[in-house]
Amino acid sequence: MTQRRLLAMFAVQARRPIRPERLADDLQMSPGSLRTSVSRLRKLLGAEVLQTDAVGYRLDTDVDSELFYQVLTRPADTDRLAQLEEALGFWRGPAIEEFAEEPWARAESARLNELHAAAVEEHAAQLLTFGRWPDAIAAMERHVADHPLRDRPRGLLMQALAGSGRQAEALAVYRTHRAYLDTEVGTEPSAEVRDIGRRIAEGGDGSALITRAPAARATLSSDLPRYRSSLIGRDDDLVVLAAHVQTARLLTLSGVGGVGKSRLAVALAHREKQSGRATWFVELAALHDAAGIVSAIAHAVGSGATDDAVVLARYLSERSGLLVIDNCEHVLDAVADVIDAISASCPGIAIVATSREFLALEGEQIFQVRPLDPMGAGADLLLTRAHAAGASIESVEREVAEEICARLDGLPLAIEIAATRAGTLGLRALLASLEDRFTLLAAGQRRGIARQQTIGKAIDWSYQLLTPDKQRLFRRLAIFSGGFELDAAADVAERLGYAGREVPLLVSALVSRSMVDVNLRPAVTRYRILEPLRAFALEALADAEETDEVAGAHAAWIGGLTDISMEVYYSRGCHEVAVRLERELDNLRGALDPAHVRGDGDLTRQLCGAPTCILLLSHPQLAGAVIRLDPLLARTDERRSAVASSYGSRAISTLSGDDMNRSLAVYGDCDPTGRLGARQLVHSGYLMVSAGDADGALALLREAIADPAAPPETVDYMVTIAIFAACAVSRRDLLDPSWVSRARVAAEHSDVPATRLLARRVLASALATTDPAESREWTRRALDDHEALPLLERRISIATWSVLWDSESPALAAQRMRELLVEHIAGGHGDDQTVLVACAALLARYGHSCADDVIATLAKTAGAGRLAISLPDVASHAARGTPLTSEALRRRLLSGLGDLAA
C-alpha cells in the first residue's frame, strides 16, 4: 500500500519535483521511511524514471492523466472529434481512485474527473453534429448513470434520442431528470435543458437544437475587461476553474489583495465566452450598497434598469450563463444577499465571485488563489515584465529574480510593480533595495483600480475593512518571523491582555479574510503573514507605538520554550522542544537581537537553555547572535553552554581551531567537570572532522560514558555517538563491548527519540559483519521508528545508513548522502564541511571521475584529516584535481552522487 500511495503522489506531480518534506507531510511518513520507500520504488521503476535533484524527487515519465490533459487542451484541431477521442483513449478509469479521498489527492482527483466528464460530454456533442445518434446515445446513457445530477448529459441524451426519431423517450428522460432533481436536491433542470425539452415536445429534432443553441447563447455576453499583457503562471488554475464552473452554482475566488483574483476571473470569463457560453462581468469596486449592486448586474446582463433583486432574478431565471462579480469584499453582506437571491431561483446561472473574504452562502465552493511559486511562475512573471519595462537581463540572473520573488512571497501585484522598477534599477539593485518594500513599490501602474496601483494601497484596502480588534491582532501577529502556530499566537496575545478563547476565533477570521495564510499539515498547522503584508503590518505596529510591547511579549514566549535546564539536555522533553525550535528559527533569531540590544540578562538566560544548545549544533548561522549575548551571562553560569556550543558549532562547520579553543575555554568555565557531556560531544566531533583523530574522539566519549556523575540519559546518548563514530571511520576495533550492550537497552527502552532511534541504527551498523541476523532486525525496527528528530540526529541517522550500506549497496549509500546534501543546500548549509567531506570520500572510494577535483577543493578548506581516514592516498587525489568554486563543488557532488545512486 505504501509503495502504491507513493507512486500515486509522484504521478499526480509527474515531471515536477516534490520536496521530501512535503512528501513526508502529505503521506504522514518519517523522513527515514520515506527515503526507504523511495529507494525501493526506484529499484522497481529505474533511476532514470524516479530521479532526484537539488529540489527533491521527480517522476520523469509520461503519465496517462497528463497525456490526456495535454491532448485535450492543445489548440483545437480541425478534427476536434478525433482529438477528443485521442484524449479519451488515455483515460483508464476514475482518477487516483484508490487514494481519491486523501488530502493530497482530493483536488487533483476532482480536477481530472471533472475534465474527463466535460470531455465525454463535448465528445457526445461532436457526435451529434455528425448525426451519429446511436454512438451519442450509448455514451450518454452510461454518463448519465455515473453523473445523475449533471444537466448537460441529460440534454445531450435528449437531443440524441430526438435526432434518431425517439422523441417520446427523450421526453421521458427529461421528466425523470426533473423528478430526480426535485426529490434529491430541491431544484429543477437548467434553462437550457428545459428549452431542449420544450423544443422536443413541439416536434423539434436534435440537429435543429444543436445548431441553434450556441448561437443564441453567444449573443448574450457583456463586454469583458482586456489586459495588454499575458497571464503568466495560471494555466493549471484556469483548467481547474473551468472544470468547477461546469457544475458549481457559486464559486468564490478568495485570496490576499494583489494575488490576482480579478485577473484570473477575467481569464476564466474569456475562456467560457470563447466556448460559446454567455458571460457577464460586473465590477463592484466603486459600489457601496445593495441597490447599486443590483443595478450594476442588471446593466451587465441587459435586463433593463432595476434595483430590485427579485426583478433581476426573474429575468435571469430563464437564462443560462456565467456571471462574474468582481471585488466583493467591501460590500460583502449586500452582495451575498443579491447572489443568494439569484442562485436560489436561477438554476442556469453559474456565479463566480472574487473576494478577499468568502461569502459564507450555502453551496458556495471556495477556490483559494495562491501566490506564484517564486522559483517558477513568479520568476517567469518578473523576468517577462522586467524585459518589457526595458531591463537588460543576463541569463545568470534567474537566481536573482527568484530571490526577489521569494522576498515578495510570490505576490503577483508586488512582482508586477517591482518589474517596472527593474527597468531603471536592474535586478541586482532591485534586490538590494527590497528592505524598504513600500517605498520601492510605491510607484506602480498609472491605470487601473486606484487601490491596486501600489501594493501598499492594495493591502491598506484590506486592512481598513477589518474591525478594530482584528486590525490590532493582525499588526501584532506581524512580530512573528517565519510563521507561527496557534499556541504561540495565543501565548503572545494573552501577554498583551487578550482572553485565551478570543485568539483562535480572531486568527480564523483573519484567515477567512486572506490576511493570514494557513498551512494545514498532518502533524502541525502553521500560520504565516505573507511578507508584503507583514511589512505593512510592522509599519502599522510602529505607527500605533506598540512595537516594543509586542516584541517583549514575543521574546517572552520564545524564552518560555527555551528556558530548560542543562541538567535535562538529553531528555525527551528537551529534544521535543529542539524539534519545535527548528520550526521557529526565525522567531528565535528575532528574540536574540532584542535581548542583546536591551542588555536583558534574565531574557538571555531563558534563551540560552538546553534546547537552544541542541539547535546550535546543527545551525551554526545562529552562533554569532548567541555569542553576542555572552557578556550578559555570569562566567560560571551553566547557560553559557549555549555560547560554548555556538563556538563549537562554528568550529565543526568551518574547521576553525580558534573557535574550537574558545568553545573548550567556555565549557571549562561553565561545566569544568564535563558532567553534562556537551563538551565531549562537541570536541569529539571536531577531532573527527578536522584531523581524522578517531582515537582521540573516542577517548573523549569514553570519558563521558565512564563519568559516575553523568546523568544516565547522557551516558545512553554518548554510547550511541561513540558507536557511530567507530563505525563511521571503519574502526570497529575501537568498540567497547559494553557499549553495544548498553545500546541494546537504550534501543529498547529509552524514551528519548534521538537516543532510541540512533541506538537502533548504530546497532544495525556495528553488528553488520559479526551478527547479520541481529543487524537486520535492528534495521527493521529502526525503519519502523518515525518520531521527529532534531537536525543533528537526522544527519547522523542518514550517515549511519550510508556506512551500513556502503559495502552492500554503494548506490543506496550514495542516495542517502545525496539526500543529506540536498537537505543541507535547501537549509542554507551547503558549505558544511562535515557533509562535503563525507560525500567526497564516498565518490573517491568508488572511483568517480569528479572525485579528484572535489578533493582538491576540500583539501584547501577542510584539510585532509577526515578524508585521510577513508582515503590514504588523499594527497594524490588532490594533486590530480583542479579546485572548484563553492557553487561548482556542490553541483559536482550532487551530480556524482546521483551517478552512484543510479
Side-chain angles (χ1 to χ4, degrees):
M1 175 67 78
T2 299
Q3 296 294 89
R4 293 200 303 276
R5 180 178 284 107
L6 183 60
L7 179 59
M9 186 153 191
F10 281 129
V12 166
Q13 299 289 331
R15 298 193 188 279
R16 287 173 288 180
I18 313 177
R19 292 187 181 277
E21 58 269 25
R22 177 186 166 189
L23 277 173
D25 283 348
D26 286 348
L27 299 180
Q28 300 185 41
M29 300 173 69
S30 71
S33 296
L34 174 65
R35 287 188 291 270
T36 301
S37 296
V38 170
S39 178
R40 291 171 180 167
L41 190 59
R42 183 179 279 113
K43 287 182 180 179
L44 295 173
L45 301 177
E48 73 284 353
V49 173
L50 185 50
Q51 299 181 359
T52 307
D53 57 25
V55 176
Y57 303 114
R58 183 178 69 252
L59 188 69
D60 194 16
T61 190
D62 290 332
V63 176
D64 285 341
S65 60
E66 187 62 23
L67 293 172
F68 162 74
Y69 170 70
Q70 289 173 0
V71 174
L72 184 66
T73 58
R74 75 189 180 203
D77 292 343
T78 54
D79 188 353
R80 177 61 174 167
L81 180 60
Q83 183 180 350
L84 288 163
E85 290 175 344
E86 180 185 354
L88 292 170
F90 290 111
W91 193 261
R92 300 286 184 265
I96 330 172
E97 182 175 17
E98 186 175 2
F99 308 108
E101 292 306 313
E102 298 201 13
W104 55 267
R106 194 175 295 128
E108 181 68 2
S109 174
R111 180 183 79 89
L112 288 171
N113 285 326
E114 180 58 41
L115 281 173
H116 175 253
V120 169
E121 291 159 15
E122 186 183 355
H123 177 250
Q126 288 286 324
L127 291 174
L128 295 183
T129 63
F130 290 97
R132 293 172 55 179
W133 316 117
D135 292 339
I137 291 170
M140 285 300 95
E141 284 180 335
R142 291 191 300 270
H143 197 58
V144 162
D146 292 337
H147 303 279
L149 290 176
R150 292 176 76 95
D151 264 328
R152 194 182 184 201
R154 298 282 183 164
L156 291 167
L157 178 57
M158 291 160 61
Q159 290 173 312
L161 289 168
S164 61
R166 298 158 62 181
Q167 278 84 356
E169 291 177 59
L171 292 174
V173 167
Y174 176 71
R175 287 192 295 271
T176 300
H177 183 48
R178 185 176 60 187
Y180 181 82
L181 290 180
D182 182 60
T183 301
E184 296 296 325
V185 293
T187 62
E188 59 181 8
S190 67
E192 183 175 353
V193 172
R194 295 201 306 271
D195 188 51
I196 292 172
R198 180 180 59 78
R199 290 174 182 271
I200 292 174
E202 294 172 354
D205 61 26
S207 59
L209 294 168
I210 296 161
T211 56
R212 281 200 297 269
R217 288 197 305 272
T219 61
L220 296 177
S221 296
S222 65
D223 290 335
L224 302 177
R226 291 193 176 274
Y227 296 89
R228 297 178 183 178
S229 56
S230 59
L231 181 66
I232 294 175
R234 297 298 190 189
D235 290 348
D236 289 347
D237 289 343
L238 272 175
V239 171
V240 173
L241 291 173
H244 276 312
V245 296
Q246 301 305 314
T247 55
R249 298 282 298 282
L250 172 59
L251 176 65
T252 300
L253 309 190
S254 184
V256 65
V259 80
K261 302 180 295 295
S262 298
R263 187 76 186 266
L264 187 56
V266 170
L268 175 65
H270 279 290
R271 182 178 179 136
E272 292 299 298
K273 185 175 181 178
Q274 289 168 3
S275 72
R277 189 178 194 179
T279 56
W280 305 283
F281 182 86
V282 184
E283 166 61 68
L284 300 184
L287 302 178
H288 298 283
D289 56 47
I293 293 168
V294 173
S295 179
I297 296 174
H299 175 75
V301 301
S303 68
T306 182
D307 57 7
D308 188 332
V310 175
V311 173
L312 174 63
R314 188 180 303 124
Y315 173 82
L316 289 173
S317 66
E318 294 299 321
R319 286 159 178 79
S320 65
L322 178 67
L323 174 60
V324 178
I325 304 178
D326 193 28
N327 294 305
C328 298
E329 58 274 344
H330 63 300
V331 286
L332 202 66
D333 291 339
V335 77
D337 289 341
V338 176
I339 288 175
D340 195 35
I342 295 173
S343 184
S345 57
C346 306
I349 302 298
I351 300 173
V352 171
T354 74
S355 176
R356 300 179 193 187
E357 180 179 357
F358 49 82
L359 303 173
L361 292 174
E362 183 180 356
E364 179 184 22
Q365 293 187 26
I366 309 296
F367 182 89
Q368 195 73 30
V369 182
R370 309 296 304 176
L372 299 175
D373 177 8
M375 307 303 158
D380 293 340
L381 175 62
L382 177 62
L383 291 170
T384 301
R385 299 292 194 260
H387 185 269
S392 178
I393 300 170
E394 301 174 12
S395 58
V396 295
E397 290 189 297
R398 171 82 188 192
E399 290 186 5
V400 179
E402 291 174 352
E403 177 62 22
I404 291 171
C405 293
R407 295 276 192 93
L408 299 174
D409 258 326
L411 205 60
L413 178 59
I415 293 172
E416 296 263 12
I417 296 172
T420 66
R421 308 297 292 160
T424 55
L425 293 176
L427 288 182
R428 295 183 188 279
L430 177 64
L431 176 60
S433 303
L434 275 183
E435 290 305 317
D436 188 4
R437 292 182 185 127
F438 285 105
T439 298
L440 179 70
L441 303 181
Q445 297 100 341
R446 293 181 184 277
R447 299 183 182 277
I449 299 171
R451 61 182 169 80
Q452 293 180 348
Q453 291 174 10
T454 72
I455 188 65
K457 289 180 180 178
I459 297 170
D460 186 56
W461 167 271
S462 295
Y463 182 71
Q464 296 303 329
L465 292 175
L466 298 176
T467 57
D469 58 335
K470 295 181 181 68
Q471 288 182 349
R472 185 165 52 252
L473 183 63
F474 170 69
R475 62 180 181 257
R476 291 177 173 183
L477 290 176
I479 202 68
F480 289 100
S481 178
F484 58 91
E485 291 163 30
L486 198 56
D487 65 326
D491 187 292
V492 172
E494 286 180 26
R495 294 175 191 273
L496 296 170
Y498 290 80
R501 63 181 179 276
E502 286 184 278
V503 178
L505 296 175
L506 289 172
V507 171
S508 177
L510 291 172
V511 170
S512 72
R513 287 158 176 78
S514 304
M515 300 298 284
V516 172
D517 194 43
V518 61
N519 186 354
L520 300 171
R521 298 180 179 179
V524 63
T525 298
R526 279 191 74 80
Y527 300 85
R528 187 170 71 98
I529 300 177
L530 298 182
E531 278 306 306
L533 278 79
R534 182 168 175 265
F536 174 92
L538 288 172
E539 287 191 3
L541 193 68
D543 290 343
E545 298 183 346
E546 298 172 337
T547 302
D548 290 343
E549 179 188 9
V550 176
H554 174 265
W557 159 68
I558 278 285
L561 284 181
T562 56
D563 189 13
I564 296 178
S565 168
M566 292 299 299
E567 293 282 351
V568 294
Y569 189 94
Y570 296 103
S571 70
R572 177 186 183 92
C574 187
H575 279 249
E576 286 177 346
V577 174
V579 172
R580 169 69 183 271
L581 281 181
E582 288 192 339
R583 301 197 298 270
E584 310 293 356
L585 275 176
D586 291 332
N587 284 312
L588 176 59
R589 188 181 290 108
L592 291 169
D593 290 339
H596 168 71
V597 171
R598 297 201 300 262
D600 190 333
D602 291 339
L603 177 59
T604 294
R605 288 201 81 253
Q606 291 179 322
L607 295 174
C608 289
T612 305
C613 291
I614 296 174
L615 189 76
L616 286 163
L617 290 178
S618 49
H619 293 278
Q621 73 272 27
L622 286 176
V626 174
I627 289 169
R628 286 194 306 167
L629 299 176
D630 193 17
L632 300 176
L633 296 168
R635 181 171 175 271
T636 58
D637 192 335
E638 282 190 348
R639 297 297 177 101
R640 285 190 77 211
S641 292
V643 176
S645 293
S646 296
Y647 282 122
S649 177
R650 214 159 62 178
I652 293 173
S653 177
T654 63
L655 300 178
S656 165
D658 290 342
D659 275 338
M660 193 67 242
N661 290 333
R662 294 187 188 100
S663 177
L664 295 176
V666 176
Y667 275 128
D669 292 336
C670 65
D671 183 23
T673 65
R675 177 179 56 87
L676 299 175
R679 172 178 62 80
Q680 295 93 330
L681 178 65
V682 173
H683 193 191
S684 64
Y686 176 76
L687 289 176
M688 287 281 291
V689 302
S690 64
D693 185 359
D695 295 86
L698 286 165
L700 286 168
L701 294 170
R702 188 175 287 110
E703 172 193 335
I705 293 167
D707 185 353
E713 295 85 357
T714 299
V715 177
D716 289 341
Y717 186 79
M718 289 298 176
V719 162
T720 67
I721 299 300
I723 297 174
F724 161 72
C727 294
V729 298
S730 302
R731 292 292 304 276
R732 287 177 172 81
D733 59 298
L734 298 177
L735 281 176
D736 187 319
S738 66
W739 295 351
V740 176
S741 299
R742 181 144 192 161
R744 286 192 178 101
V745 176
E748 290 278 9
H749 303 295
S750 177
D751 71 339
V752 183
T755 301
R756 186 181 62 250
L757 178 55
L758 288 181
R760 293 176 179 182
R761 294 201 170 184
V762 299
L763 284 170
S765 183
L767 299 171
T769 56
T770 59
D771 193 339
E774 187 179 356
S775 173
R776 285 192 294 272
E777 175 60 18
W778 285 119
T779 298
R780 183 192 65 76
R781 295 187 65 181
L783 291 172
D784 288 341
D785 201 329
H786 303 320
E787 288 208 56
L789 302 180
L791 178 58
L792 175 66
E793 281 74 28
R794 295 204 301 272
R795 291 180 184 177
I796 295 173
S797 180
I798 292 178
T800 305
W801 282 154
S802 297
V803 172
L804 175 62
W805 283 313
D806 187 1
S807 58
E808 297 180 10
S809 175
L812 188 55
Q815 178 61 27
R816 293 286 182 258
M817 293 309 301
R818 194 178 191 283
E819 290 170 358
L820 181 57
L821 182 56
V822 168
E823 179 182 355
H824 268 45
I825 292 171
H829 315 304
D831 294 322
D832 187 328
Q833 298 294 315
T834 309
V835 176
L836 297 178
V837 167
C839 293
L842 194 63
L843 289 172
R845 194 173 307 136
Y846 293 101
H848 194 278
S849 58
C850 76
D852 291 343
D853 292 344
V854 169
I855 292 170
T857 306
L858 294 176
K860 291 180 174 297
T861 57
R866 175 67 178 87
L867 282 169
I869 296 174
S870 303
L871 297 169
D873 60 340
V874 64
S876 61
H877 278 290
R880 293 193 300 268
T882 302
L884 306 165
T885 65
S886 295
E887 185 177 343
L889 172 67
R890 289 192 289 270
R891 284 201 305 267
R892 289 284 190 91
L893 284 173
L894 287 171
S895 175
L897 291 169
D899 293 340
L900 282 185

